[in-house]
Amino acid sequence: MHMRQVFEQVDYIAGSEDVLANMQKQPAMRIFDGRVTAFLRALSGEILKSAKARRFPDAVTFAFWCRKANLLLLRKQYDDSDRLGRGVAFHIAPSNVPLNFAYSMAVGMLAGNANVVRLPSKDFEQIAPLCEAITKLLYSGEFTDIAARLCLVKYARDKKTTDALSALCNSRIIWGGDATVAQIRQSPLPPRANEITFSDRYSICLINSDKYLADYDKAKAARDFYNDTYLTDQNACTSPRAVIWLGGEIEKAREIFWASLSDQLEGYELKPAQTVNKLSTFYRFAANSACKLAKADDCKLMRVAVKKLGRSILDNLENSGYFYEYDAKALDEILPLCGGKCQTLSYIGLDAAKLRDFILANAPPGVDRIVPVGRTMDFSLVWDGRDLIRELSRVVAIC
């Protein structure tokens, strides 16, 4: 099938078949090009003006990420202005995080590339108003350079379409886990193209019970932890799956922490299938591991206390408010959970610099991010230990 015929099968949310067909002809931009930052600043304003978009906290968060002040801070991380985009970046967004596609798009633009972004297959409510804001700007006549370099597309799982889009790109970014990576990799890339993949990951949370009791607003800590976990049904790789307690007042801190979190769950809807999955995971885990299920009024919050941190936990992870708990006497007891699939270490009542030093000294295969509770979902230009701007751009060197 001719490439043009393949592109006819694509549903264009932004851009068009002609834009896509001519995308390779567009010259690359320098990183943080003024035309790109102007577009992102305007997009921030459009989102914040939209009553429909403002209903969604993640849309507002993205709008703030695109503000001029934040873009200037991000630019300061890159003192090398001799970088150009690689050409065309093809993004495959994950199906479980609604607005991940928007951050991936923005990074591809900031790195100087033209961008084809495959939107999530699931119709999340917050995607439509964001796409409306994007298309409004693209067709305003003010951002013609950007309009020639951006397509937001949807298409059913179809290898021929993925083959065609992969064939025209210089970089491919795959968000979505091991199965998605394996599927997309069946579509070959051009010889000089590079690929950035984001595989299945999990995250953990450390809480110093003494500091929590002495220094923290308990309701705020609960809201922050809720945002890290329940807002995405614990589907995000950044969502903690295990809570490790440290300090001398663990029992008291534990009781207050989980009671405060339960207060946040009144509006959280748990579907029957989610309940069945959580119970099935617990029974499967309990059949082979020493553990105890905490008493609860319902299944919105399931806490499984374990006597050992190890592989059995990683083989029995679950979503929708399912947490393993462990009381540690020393920090090095977390190392069995810090394998290559461990992404984020969030914390309450610990020192980030000391945690970083601990990870650097022990050099486990995983832990790419260390962030306070409440900020696990904050997007960064360095993700999963990879500098996205530098990987999506190239250096023009003088030797």
Side-chain angles (χ1 to χ4, degrees):
M1 186 180 291
H2 190 273
M3 191 172 288
R4 273 278 193 176
Q5 291 177 299
V6 173
F7 292 164
E8 290 174 357
Q9 314 302 313
V10 172
D11 183 13
Y12 294 91
I13 310 304
S16 66
E17 180 187 339
D18 286 337
V19 171
L20 184 57
N22 290 292
M23 198 168 277
Q24 286 179 307
K25 299 176 183 178
Q26 301 300 322
M29 294 178 174
R30 287 191 177 188
I31 62 171
F32 289 87
D33 187 283
R35 290 166 290 181
V36 170
T37 56
F39 176 81
L40 292 176
R41 294 199 307 269
L43 179 57
S44 174
E46 287 296 327
I47 295 169
L48 295 176
K49 285 191 296 185
S50 167
K52 289 190 291 185
R54 290 200 312 272
R55 291 172 46 220
F56 303 101
D58 49 353
V60 174
T61 298
F62 176 69
F64 274 80
W65 192 88
C66 293
R67 286 180 309 160
K68 179 179 180 179
N70 188 55
L71 294 176
L72 289 173
L73 285 175
L74 296 176
R75 179 67 183 89
K76 289 180 180 178
Q77 299 176 29
Y78 300 90
D79 55 6
D80 43 355
S81 59
D82 54 349
R83 282 186 170 272
L84 289 171
R86 295 179 60 87
V88 177
F90 174 32
H91 310 250
I92 296 95
S95 60
N96 61 348
V97 182
L99 297 189
N100 175 278
F101 84 89
Y103 289 101
S104 195
M105 173 197 76
V107 171
M109 295 170 69
L110 290 169
N113 297 289
N115 296 273
V116 184
V117 185
R118 181 184 177 184
L119 299 180
S121 55
K122 185 177 179 180
D123 290 323
F124 293 102
E125 288 183 83
Q126 54 267 64
I127 290 179
L130 183 55
C131 288
E132 288 172 10
I134 292 171
T135 54
K136 178 180 178 181
L137 292 174
L138 291 179
Y139 301 132
S140 67
E142 185 179 352
F143 299 101
T144 54
D145 286 331
I146 304 301
R149 291 171 167 82
L150 180 62
C151 283
L152 304 181
V153 303
K154 296 189 79 170
Y155 63 90
R157 289 189 177 184
D158 175 66
K159 187 175 183 297
K160 289 183 179 179
T161 305
T162 301
D163 286 348
L165 292 173
S166 296
L168 68 79
C169 77
N170 305 95
S171 293
R172 184 167 66 187
I173 306 95
I174 308 173
W175 306 81
D178 297 358
T180 300
V181 171
Q183 176 197 356
I184 299 298
R185 277 184 168 168
Q186 295 176 30
S187 298
L189 288 168
R192 289 197 66 232
N194 72 339
E195 183 177 66
I196 303 173
T197 60
F198 297 98
S199 59
D200 293 330
R201 306 294 298 274
Y202 63 87
S203 297
I204 61 177
C205 177
L206 302 179
I207 303 178
N208 182 306
S209 59
D210 305 330
K211 289 286 188 179
Y212 168 76
L213 290 171
D215 301 336
Y216 280 77
D217 179 328
K218 310 305 184 290
K220 182 180 184 303
R223 287 195 301 273
D224 288 343
F225 189 81
Y226 178 94
N227 291 340
D228 285 348
T229 52
Y230 283 88
L231 278 185
T232 60
D233 277 333
Q234 243 176 326
N235 283 310
C237 56
T238 59
S239 297
R241 307 301 188 93
V243 175
I244 294 92
W245 293 92
L246 296 158
E249 296 285 346
I250 290 176
E251 285 305 322
K252 181 178 180 181
R254 187 195 338 265
E255 181 179 350
I256 295 173
F257 178 80
W258 294 118
S260 300
L261 180 65
S262 294
D263 292 341
Q264 302 290 321
L265 300 181
E266 184 176 347
Y268 176 71
E269 294 184 12
L270 186 70
K271 297 176 182 176
Q274 292 171 300
T275 299
V276 171
N277 289 342
K278 291 166 76 171
L279 290 170
S280 298
T281 299
F282 168 70
Y283 292 138
R284 184 170 59 247
F285 178 76
N288 299 294
S289 306
C291 63
K292 183 179 180 180
L293 181 65
K295 292 182 179 180
D297 294 332
D298 54 44
C299 287
K300 288 184 178 181
L301 172 60
M302 288 187 67
R303 298 160 41 208
V304 182
V306 298
K307 295 184 178 180
K308 182 180 179 181
L309 297 177
R311 183 74 225 179
S312 59
I313 288 176
L314 306 183
D315 291 336
N316 291 277
L317 298 176
E318 193 49 71
N319 303 330
S320 311
Y322 183 97
F323 303 96
Y324 292 103
E325 269 189 288
Y326 178 77
D327 298 352
K329 294 182 175 62
L331 190 57
D332 59 8
E333 293 180 53
I334 73 169
L335 290 174
L337 290 187
C338 297
K341 287 190 174 293
C342 184
Q343 188 214 54
T344 299
L345 192 163
S346 60
Y347 62 89
I348 290 176
L350 290 105
D351 182 87
K354 291 181 179 178
L355 289 174
R356 180 198 59 203
D357 291 344
F358 169 80
I359 294 299
L360 292 174
N362 288 276
V367 182
D368 298 317
R369 305 169 69 232
I370 299 171
V371 300
V373 164
R375 294 186 55 191
T376 66
M377 301 261 313
D378 288 3
F379 187 77
S380 169
L381 296 180
V382 176
W383 198 260
D384 275 15
R386 310 178 74 166
D387 190 315
L388 301 182
I389 294 294
R390 291 192 169 96
E391 293 204 30
L392 291 173
S393 61
R394 61 186 180 91
V395 177
V396 180
I398 299 177
C399 302

